[in-house]
Amino acid sequence: MPKIENTTGMPINLIIDELKSDDIRKRIHSVKHLDLIASTIGPERTKNELIPFIQELLDDDDEVLIELVESLSKNFIELVGGQVQVLLPTFEALCRVEDAQVREKAANQLKKCFTMLPDQKKVEELSMGIIKRLNDSDYYLAKNAVVILVPSIINQVSQNNQNELINIILKISQDQIPQVRKFSSMYFQDFVKHFPIVNEAFIQNTLNSFIKDEQDFIRMYIVDALIASSKTAFFQKQQTFVLNMFKQLAEDQSWRVRFYFCDKLADIGDSVGKESYRKNFQNYHLKFLQDNEPEMKSIAALKIEKLCSFMDAEEIMNKLIPLLKSIQSDQNSFVRNSLASSVLSLSPIIGKKNSSEQILPIFLTLLKDQDSEVRITLFKKLSLITSVLGVDSLSQSVIPALTELAQDKNWRIRASTIEVLSFFARAIGPEFLSDKVLKLLLDWLGDKVYAVRQTAIQQTALLIQILGIQWADKNLLTKIWGFQSIQNYLQRLTVLFTITQIASSLNNDYILKTILPLLQQMSKDSVANIRSNVCKTSILLAKEKGGNVVEPLKKVLQSLCDDQDAEVKYQAKSALESL
Amino acid sequence: MNPSKLSNSELGNFDKYIEDLYNGLLLSENDVKLMCQKAKEILVDEPNIVAVRAPLTICGDIHGQFHDLIELFRIGGRLPETNYLFLGDYVDRGSQSVETFSLILCLKIRYKDRLTVLRGNHENREINKIYGFYDECQRKYGNEIVWKHFTDVFGYLPLVAIVENSIFCTHGGLSPAIETVDQIKQLNRIQDIPHDGAICDLLWSDPEETKMGWGVSPRGAGWTWGQDITDKFLHQNKLKLIARAHQLVMEGFQHVHQRKTVTIFSAPNYCYRCGNQACIVEVDDQLKMSFSQYEPAPRDNEPQTTRRVPEYFL
């Protein structure tokens, strides 16, 4: 039985009162803490008073209802002392609201409750009752919950009830209102799992009626149903039917349906098996790469990463790669971006020679793409090609591209580029951080824009974690400590921020030998902000490291206790007091 | 007692307000009342002319563009590490004047020695009742009490800052009623901005690029002043430069009067349509100036420029 701590700073009675407040913000706050209320008043009062009261909240704004269903989903089954039944009416009512998110959550909570009712007959009785009431409701959106609940209990009820449920789903799939038919299409994948309770003829007839539907968002979800069916015995019996229907969807006139199909193509391949995929669907993927709709080219390019495992090297070389030449120069940057994220995954499959001849040219073209996002996406996948071609051959082309990105006018591009460094450090190791690259890092640490400098400092800390303090000391840190004599005080601050960020990687000897003199020097800086940060850094190091650094750091703080700047003086004094 | 004159728990409170404000949350009505009270206590001790030390970063109009104020802090760094001087016009026109002015006030209260906050012509009841601040307060708080708290503070904001006895900083510019800096010290600033006179001129005037002497301002308040006036004023008061805001400039900053007057504007793409850059000016301890231009921050809820599969709903 969870005992929840009151961390709201408000007495329980006030929280309870505010459930009825005129101010929606207060109602939301109280609803968020329903579990606290329930835990405080105990299961009996929760059952008898709180739950009935919540029924009155059901007319409230969607904003409140979203919070309500969240709150009730937390641990209310425990909070009502395990008496799951008590919660059912509330969740049933929440299945009838306008907000789709609330309906779906409430329906899923009902599913959970059903699994927790001990008595099987009770489950049948209660669930059938709820389903029928929601189905018969005037409010058509209530059928959303029906299609979610039916698959969860159909295998646990009597033959008669099963027939009734199948009939309900049939009617929903033929409903006049397209949105209602959409519900049944979306969740048909859960329904077909119950083959053969749900028989062959029914599945076929329903799918046939879906595929003839004039609304593309209804045809779309057939893909999921077919994938689900292929994991059942239905697939063995009706392979041709399933494959043909997949093909119809791949050739659908609406690009949204083709898009959805392509998006799931890897799952389809897994379901039908590699042989069948190659025979029946590979060509569609290749066709999509030449589709008129840019969205189609984009999704097809994106899926290369997953789908290439179904292809052999020959086919990739002869059929796939020729199509990529036009994609790499597509006028839509999101298409090129999709290509950038997946083209390098072809490299390990086709081997070194072919990668060098076929992939490298595409890589170099994308490296110079006018859209910086494309270049950065490419960088993130770099390890795939370096593992095949080796770092050295690529560093000649990668480093100039990095250098160009590092000087981009847009500071956000400069900042994202820095993050690529730790990718390389992890994938390739310290060899990547040559003099040229280290110079880039130092430039970033000295960037005009504060946010870029901060990202560079964080990356420095990451690099030290990956490559070790010895490497850093030899190659990088001394140069950073040199910033202490830069004229611009904002750049001098980088020294202190860096020390703070890398503190966990430093040992006490290093601190005594190198950091302490820095702090002593900077404690005499002419700018108060620097001296202020010397206090902050000193106290942080003293607390985190302890041992023989504490006394010398205390001395630094003491020297600042008479500072002419009031803020510095106060910081030094309070730092010493806290030690 | 720490220099901000806040008790330990008040310090904690203001740290929390600042954190919430950085995240775009609004303070409650009670917190606004408390904040305005504290602000007045601090500002009443400041003279009409604040003497400011370099190094620091000077910023122009913000006009309620809160996301761009956060962008400004990403470019220039945060308080208290970076020192700032704001030249006024925090409210009106943009859609988040409340968040903007709340954050600036809280930062002033918490780090009063690192931040100087001057008054702009929009920090005045009459004008911000029309140009958006009043309406925004009504919308966000449901009453005009919060607006009253804020506007009570405006009068306390100082009018001028002088950096290292060299750079004369104010929102608008010069006044025919002011020949020496000492004359500004005599003014009583804690009032609504008068329709004419020295205080009005300081907050409303504009430099005139080509003509000499004083001119009638097209704004209907303040004047225009020519290079000869600048030269005379700087010479008489042993100053080197006039730094001001008040006017939209496409590059975020603009030198006139043979670089003796500079306009700084820190609201990029002003009113969400002017397409201008913004600028902040970093002044080092040798009074060397470095101009950092920037664009509007990307907004989270802006529609994606590329097509994606939309959620299909009837």
Side-chain angles (χ1 to χ4, degrees):
Chain A
M1 183 53 171
K3 181 72 178 91
I4 297 171
E5 205 192 310
N6 185 353
T7 53
T8 61
M10 287 165 65
I12 282 287
N13 291 329
L14 185 56
I15 305 178
I16 295 177
D17 276 339
E18 286 191 345
L19 282 170
K20 307 172 223 146
S21 167
D22 280 337
D23 184 346
I24 190 172
R25 288 179 294 187
K26 295 193 175 141
R27 290 203 301 280
I28 289 178
H29 177 262
S30 291
V31 166
K32 273 196 165 117
H33 294 282
L34 272 177
D35 55 349
L36 170 61
I37 298 176
S39 156
T40 311
I41 65 178
E44 280 307 307
R45 287 188 66 195
T46 302
K47 257 180 11 195
N48 301 326
E49 294 170 41
L50 185 59
I51 300 290
F53 176 74
I54 288 172
Q55 298 285 94
E56 293 176 35
L57 285 172
L58 296 169
D59 278 331
D60 209 321
D61 281 9
D62 277 350
E63 252 189 282
V64 180
L65 293 179
I66 291 172
E67 287 303 335
L68 178 61
V69 77
E70 280 292 342
S71 221
L72 291 173
S73 306
K74 275 193 236 168
N75 43 12
F76 253 78
I77 295 176
E78 283 175 71
L79 290 165
V80 292
Q83 306 255 333
V84 162
Q85 249 174 281
V86 167
L87 296 171
L88 296 179
T90 312
F91 285 133
E92 183 183 337
L94 285 168
C95 287
R96 268 189 269 262
V97 305
E98 205 177 321
D99 186 292
Q101 211 191 345
V102 176
R103 287 199 306 267
E104 305 220 337
K105 270 221 151 77
N108 283 314
Q109 282 301 305
L110 279 173
K111 269 168 72 172
K112 192 170 165 198
C113 288
F114 292 157
T115 64
M116 303 199 75
L117 283 167
D119 185 349
Q120 202 39 49
K121 277 198 77 187
K122 260 294 183 185
V123 172
E124 182 161 353
E125 186 194 316
L126 289 168
S127 61
M128 287 303 295
I130 291 175
I131 288 173
K132 279 192 265 194
R133 280 194 298 273
L134 288 171
N135 192 45
D136 294 334
S137 163
D138 282 336
Y139 193 38
Y140 68 92
L141 290 176
K143 294 194 170 60
N144 190 178
V146 173
V147 300
I148 296 177
L149 293 173
V150 165
S152 73
I153 54 128
I154 192 166
N155 55 341
Q156 301 168 48
V157 301
S158 69
Q159 180 80 42
N160 276 341
N161 278 335
Q162 279 180 1
N163 290 337
E164 203 176 337
L165 291 174
I166 291 175
N167 223 20
I168 288 178
I169 295 293
L170 176 65
K171 292 243 169 59
I172 293 179
S173 73
Q174 294 169 341
D175 197 290
Q176 264 186 48
I177 304 177
Q179 197 171 4
V180 176
R181 296 200 301 276
K182 176 184 154 192
F183 293 148
S184 74
S185 175
M186 270 177 83
Y187 286 94
F188 203 60
Q189 56 180 309
D190 291 333
F191 203 57
V192 305
K193 287 185 188 147
H194 292 297
F195 175 82
I197 294 177
V198 177
N199 66 31
E200 230 170 283
F202 182 78
I203 296 177
Q204 279 181 292
N205 290 336
T206 315
L207 289 176
N208 276 329
S209 77
F210 283 154
I211 200 135
K212 292 198 198 90
D213 200 299
E214 57 179 7
Q215 301 290 348
D216 58 7
F217 55 78
I218 288 170
R219 300 197 299 274
M220 197 161 97
Y221 293 111
I222 299 175
V223 174
D224 293 323
L226 291 173
I227 294 176
S229 78
S230 64
K231 302 193 175 106
T232 70
F234 177 85
F235 186 60
Q236 270 74 15
K237 297 182 133 204
Q238 293 288 350
Q239 230 182 87
T240 320
F241 173 83
V242 171
L243 292 174
N244 279 339
M245 195 160 269
F246 269 136
K247 288 183 191 171
Q248 278 186 277
L249 294 164
E251 292 168 17
D252 195 289
Q253 44 160 325
S254 163
W255 71 265
R256 283 190 189 85
V257 179
R258 297 198 304 276
F259 185 97
Y260 200 77
F261 176 87
C262 188
D263 197 17
K264 307 270 170 149
L265 201 45
D267 295 328
I268 295 175
D270 287 335
S271 315
V272 305
K274 191 166 174 177
E275 275 300 318
S276 188
Y277 170 83
R278 289 163 63 113
K279 182 161 160 241
N280 294 294
F281 301 122
Q282 190 162 282
N283 284 331
Y284 286 118
H285 179 222
L286 299 173
K287 254 179 75 184
F288 292 148
L289 285 165
Q290 306 164 72
D291 196 294
N292 281 330
E293 288 288 340
E295 254 75 359
M296 287 308 301
K297 285 187 282 196
S298 175
I299 189 78
L302 197 64
K303 292 292 165 179
I304 289 174
E305 196 173 359
K306 290 226 169 115
L307 294 173
C308 62
S309 59
F310 291 119
M311 299 176 87
D312 64 30
E314 276 287 329
E315 288 171 313
I316 292 178
M317 295 288 301
N318 298 331
K319 295 196 190 155
L320 180 60
I321 291 185
L323 298 175
L324 300 183
K325 303 282 160 72
S326 65
I327 302 251
Q328 80 189 8
S329 46
D330 192 286
Q331 52 169 323
N332 295 289
S333 70
F334 65 87
V335 175
R336 302 192 308 271
N337 203 9
S338 297
L339 183 64
S341 78
S342 64
V343 69
L344 297 182
S345 42
L346 296 172
S347 216
I349 301 181
I350 60 178
K352 188 165 178 175
K353 179 166 177 297
N354 291 326
S355 291
S356 191
E357 285 170 21
Q358 302 284 346
I359 304 293
L360 194 57
I362 301 179
F363 169 76
L364 291 172
T365 308
L366 290 173
L367 205 59
K368 293 187 233 119
D369 196 290
Q370 46 163 327
D371 189 302
S372 339
E373 261 198 70
V374 174
R375 290 178 268 161
I376 288 180
T377 306
L378 198 65
F379 271 123
K380 294 189 177 166
K381 300 279 176 170
L382 198 63
S383 60
L384 288 165
I385 197 172
T386 54
S387 62
V388 175
L389 294 181
V391 182
D392 304 309
S393 69
L394 285 170
S395 51
Q396 291 175 32
S397 32
V398 165
I399 304 232
L402 254 187
T403 310
E404 221 185 289
L405 281 172
Q407 293 157 355
D408 198 291
K409 266 179 26 183
N410 179 339
W411 72 260
R412 282 183 165 79
I413 299 293
R414 299 201 299 276
S416 340
T417 315
I418 305 176
E419 290 165 355
V420 155
L421 282 190
S422 54
F423 279 113
F424 290 152
R426 253 186 263 268
I428 298 167
E431 313 93 68
F432 184 76
L433 286 124
S434 62
D435 286 342
K436 280 205 192 128
V437 176
L438 281 173
K439 174 159 187 320
L440 289 179
L441 179 56
L442 284 165
D443 286 343
W444 281 317
L445 284 163
D447 195 282
K448 231 180 143 180
V449 171
Y450 168 77
V452 177
R453 299 196 298 272
Q454 286 300 105
T455 309
I457 294 173
Q458 280 158 14
Q459 278 298 298
T460 303
L462 253 179
L463 286 174
I464 293 182
Q465 275 174 22
I466 298 171
L467 300 173
I469 189 78
Q470 265 89 338
W471 168 86
D473 192 31
K474 211 169 77 160
N475 295 291
L476 187 58
L477 289 179
T478 321
K479 299 205 180 79
I480 300 180
W481 305 149
F483 285 22
Q484 63 160 319
S485 25
I486 297 184
Q487 212 222 333
N488 183 338
Y489 79 112
L490 296 171
Q491 303 281 354
R492 296 202 294 279
L493 281 171
T494 301
V495 173
L496 298 167
F497 292 154
T498 305
I499 296 173
T500 307
Q501 281 278 315
I502 69 173
S504 52
S505 305
L506 300 172
N507 62 45
N508 283 18
D509 289 332
Y510 188 85
I511 295 177
L512 287 173
K513 187 165 149 245
T514 312
I515 305 292
L516 199 56
L518 265 178
L519 292 174
Q520 285 159 347
Q521 184 67 25
M522 295 184 91
S523 69
K524 302 188 196 114
D525 197 288
S526 58
V527 176
N529 312 59
I530 304 282
R531 303 195 304 273
S532 209
N533 276 281
V534 167
C535 290
K536 284 195 185 146
T537 306
S538 301
I539 186 72
L540 179 121
L541 284 175
K543 286 200 167 146
E544 238 188 71
K545 297 303 189 182
N548 55 352
V549 298
V550 175
E551 281 310 310
L553 286 171
K554 267 180 160 175
K555 290 216 179 71
V556 174
L557 290 168
Q558 273 154 1
S559 72
L560 292 169
C561 282
D562 288 314
D563 199 278
Q564 41 166 322
D565 184 276
E567 184 79 35
V568 175
K569 200 154 123 175
Y570 174 73
Q571 273 180 313
K573 288 204 170 126
S574 15
L576 282 169
E577 267 167 42
S578 72
L579 276 174
Chain B
M1 184 58 108
N2 66 71
S4 57
K5 301 212 184 96
L6 298 170
S7 70
N8 273 340
S9 65
E10 282 173 332
L11 259 182
N13 284 341
F14 274 94
D15 281 332
K16 174 108 198 344
Y17 295 160
I18 289 170
E19 197 190 314
D20 284 346
L21 285 164
Y22 272 131
N23 289 321
L25 296 173
L26 283 178
L27 299 184
S28 74
E29 198 180 299
N30 272 339
D31 292 338
V32 170
K33 183 168 168 204
L34 172 68
M35 171 185 72
C36 291
Q37 236 170 289
K38 282 283 165 198
K40 283 188 282 192
E41 280 170 33
I42 291 177
L43 291 169
V44 78
D45 286 338
E46 292 196 358
N48 294 343
I49 307 180
V50 182
V52 185
R53 306 286 319 268
L56 87 168
T57 301
I58 307 180
C59 313
D61 296 21
I62 306 291
H63 279 304
Q65 296 183 207
F66 179 74
H67 289 290
D68 299 322
L69 176 62
I70 300 299
E71 184 75 355
L72 185 161
F73 288 134
R74 287 192 195 107
I75 309 278
R78 283 198 174 181
L79 283 142
E81 280 82 40
T82 307
N83 299 323
Y84 279 101
L85 161 62
F86 282 84
L87 299 175
D89 274 9
Y90 314 101
V91 303
D92 282 343
R93 296 234 166 82
S95 58
Q96 291 177 287
S97 301
V98 172
E99 288 90 331
T100 301
F101 193 55
S102 301
L103 177 55
I104 293 202
L105 267 194
C106 280
L107 287 169
K108 175 65 186 175
I109 294 166
R110 182 68 180 83
Y111 303 116
K112 74 178 195 2
D113 293 332
R114 305 282 183 249
L115 170 60
T116 307
V117 182
L118 298 185
R119 188 177 191 179
N121 64 308
H122 279 261
E123 275 73 60
N124 194 40
R125 266 174 262 265
E126 233 181 292
I127 202 170
N128 66 48
K129 212 157 186 203
I130 305 172
Y131 283 96
F133 188 44
Y134 177 83
D135 292 331
E136 190 187 320
C137 291
Q138 273 283 7
R139 208 173 8 101
K140 288 181 174 164
Y141 288 95
N143 59 51
E144 59 170 40
I145 301 175
V146 165
W147 178 76
K148 287 210 171 101
H149 288 317
F150 279 130
T151 49
D152 280 346
V153 178
F154 291 156
Y156 290 78
L157 295 169
L159 302 169
V160 168
I162 301 188
V163 182
E164 300 282 353
N165 296 314
S166 282
I167 310 180
F168 179 87
C169 308
T170 190
H171 178 72
L174 300 183
S175 167
I178 306 279
E179 279 184 354
T180 67
V181 154
D182 274 343
Q183 288 170 298
I184 301 174
K185 295 183 184 163
Q186 317 299 331
L187 302 168
N188 168 28
R189 74 174 193 267
I190 306 189
Q191 52 168 314
D192 282 356
I193 300 175
H195 290 165
D196 49 32
I199 296 180
C200 173
D201 298 340
L202 283 169
L203 269 40
W204 276 92
S205 294
D206 296 306
E208 159 58 49
E209 276 187 71
T210 43
K211 293 198 279 232
M212 298 292 147
W214 294 103
V216 174
S217 169
R219 295 185 195 255
W223 304 85
T224 64
W225 82 91
Q227 184 175 338
D228 55 335
I229 311 280
T230 294
D231 289 337
K232 188 164 165 226
F233 183 80
L234 291 178
H235 177 77
Q236 175 127 19
N237 295 283
K238 299 193 177 54
L239 299 161
K240 294 218 178 82
L241 173 71
I242 299 174
R244 41 88 65 179
H246 194 43
Q247 273 178 311
L248 167 68
V249 285
M250 286 309 289
E251 254 98 74
F253 74 99
Q254 188 183 55
H255 293 288
V256 294
H257 296 175
Q258 292 195 311
R259 300 180 77 94
K260 305 242 199 50
T261 299
V262 68
T263 301
I264 308 167
F265 197 74
S266 305
N269 195 25
Y270 183 46
C271 296
Y272 314 112
R273 64 167 181 265
C274 291
N276 61 298
Q277 289 180 297
C279 182
I280 54 177
V281 186
E282 285 171 9
V283 182
D284 73 9
D285 52 0
Q286 307 295 323
L287 295 183
K288 215 174 78 196
M289 305 201 329
S290 156
F291 295 83
S292 288
Q293 294 159 299
Y294 57 100
E295 316 279 331
R299 305 290 201 259
D300 279 335
N301 50 2
E302 246 165 28
Q304 294 238 2
T305 50
T306 57
R307 261 164 72 195
R308 291 281 178 262
V309 185
E311 267 207 15
Y312 214 112
F313 54 87
L314 290 170

